[in-house]
Amino acid sequence: MMKFKSPPVNSLSLDFLTEFCISLEKLENDRACRGVIFTSAVPKIFSSGLDITEMCGKSMEHYAEFWRAVQEMWLRLYGSNMVTVAAVNGSSPAGGCLVALSCDYRIMVENPKFSIGLNEAQLGIVAPFWFKDTFVNVVGHRIAERSLQLGSLYPAPEALKFGLVDELVPEEKLQEKAMAVMAQWLALPDHARQLTKSMMRKVVLDRLLAHREEDIQNFISFISKESIQKSLRMYMEMLKKRKS
């Protein structure tokens, strides 16, 4: 079990992403480890998504390094040979939603106060093509198209209805359910499951691998626009006011 613990909201900073990839690689290389459950050690939040401070007022080099780390996290998680289960025990917007979407199975706490979705459009940001591809593969084209354009965040019951999560459980049953699901998936021969997963996901993974540098350059030119920087600064101000 991997627990995210980067208070206050488990935002995906460069340090967090680097640590995440190192931990995942260690587990991947450990023959005894066949599956991993991801959950949060921070109450009410699974992960708030990409750390906005990494994308605001920094150098071009920093943006490139940060985006490469985001790509790496997704490539490793979406392409993992292990069984991956997201035990979503809090809200999970944007990049947090991507982490959950990249897993094989998603269980969420049945609390309507917790929401999940790719809400980038609300911040004036566009979800990259590989976020979109991952989303379409889970919920289908129409729901993904509408959700991405509106930057929708879905409360847990709606997320279940749209297939964004596979199951809802009471909070106290989450860990037990995640273990039961893991046992069910691990009952199959690894090679058959791994080859099937690779077959299902290879096209999407290959698309980013073929366009990694181009994707980084697109991110840099987009995020460094003054209009986008202004949106991000306004959003950060709003968050500060909310906290105070």
Side-chain angles (χ1 to χ4, degrees):
M1 186 172 287
M2 194 189 286
K3 287 189 174 183
F4 303 149
K5 193 176 182 183
S6 181
V9 290
N10 290 337
S11 53
L12 306 176
S13 63
L14 185 55
D15 286 348
F16 183 103
L17 291 164
T18 306
E19 193 65 40
F20 182 91
C21 287
I22 291 167
S23 302
L24 206 55
E25 189 175 18
K26 278 181 187 164
L27 294 175
E28 203 82 57
N29 291 334
D30 179 355
R31 286 282 171 85
C33 181
R34 298 169 59 216
V36 59
I37 295 166
F38 299 97
T39 195
S40 169
V42 177
K44 298 180 184 170
I45 191 90
F46 180 70
S47 166
S48 67
L50 302 184
D51 188 339
I52 290 176
T53 61
E54 301 279 14
M55 302 186 276
C56 202
K58 298 281 198 294
S59 68
M60 302 294 178
E61 291 74 23
H62 183 88
Y63 295 146
E65 187 185 7
F66 175 64
W67 199 246
R68 191 170 274 110
V70 179
Q71 290 178 336
E72 192 62 34
M73 177 273 291
W74 177 77
L75 288 166
R76 283 182 181 279
L77 183 55
Y78 200 64
S80 175
N81 272 324
M82 297 182 290
V83 175
T84 53
V85 174
V88 183
N89 54 341
S91 287
S92 196
C97 177
L98 181 75
V99 171
L101 286 171
S102 302
C103 292
D104 296 314
Y105 200 83
R106 285 161 289 289
I107 309 160
M108 191 168 182
V109 169
E110 58 180 11
N111 183 338
K113 287 182 179 167
F114 296 159
S115 58
I116 184 167
L118 293 177
N119 63 323
E120 281 79 358
Q122 289 189 32
L123 318 183
I125 302 174
V126 178
F129 71 85
W130 41 284
F131 280 51
K132 180 268 295 176
D133 289 346
T134 312
F135 199 32
V136 169
N137 284 355
V138 172
V139 300
H141 197 279
R142 175 65 191 130
I143 289 167
E145 181 181 48
R146 190 182 67 203
S147 304
L148 287 169
Q149 287 196 54
L150 293 172
S152 304
L153 282 175
Y154 294 109
E158 274 192 71
L160 178 68
K161 189 173 87 179
F162 291 134
L164 190 48
V165 294
D166 297 300
E167 221 173 318
L168 298 183
V169 294
E171 190 146 16
E172 65 276 8
K173 296 265 174 72
L174 182 65
Q175 204 157 327
E176 181 190 328
K177 184 69 204 183
M179 303 287 266
V181 166
M182 181 61 76
Q184 183 191 358
W185 284 63
L186 289 179
L188 277 83
D190 279 348
H191 67 280
R193 181 191 53 73
Q194 287 165 354
L195 286 169
T196 305
K197 180 175 180 175
S198 171
M199 174 177 68
M200 297 297 291
R201 298 188 171 195
K202 189 175 186 306
V203 172
V204 175
L205 287 161
D206 284 353
R207 196 169 158 213
L208 177 60
L209 286 169
H211 300 282
R212 255 188 113 164
E213 289 310 314
E214 189 188 327
D215 183 57
I216 290 169
Q217 291 312 314
N218 285 344
F219 172 75
I220 293 170
S221 64
F222 181 79
I223 211 73
S224 55
K225 282 187 180 131
E226 186 42 47
S227 57
I228 303 301
Q229 286 291 308
K230 191 179 169 187
S231 289
L232 293 175
R233 285 195 298 270
M234 281 164 65
Y235 185 71
M236 282 161 70
E237 281 303 314
M238 187 188 79
L239 289 180
K240 273 184 202 156
K241 278 179 192 154
R242 233 188 249 172
K243 277 179 200 159
S244 59

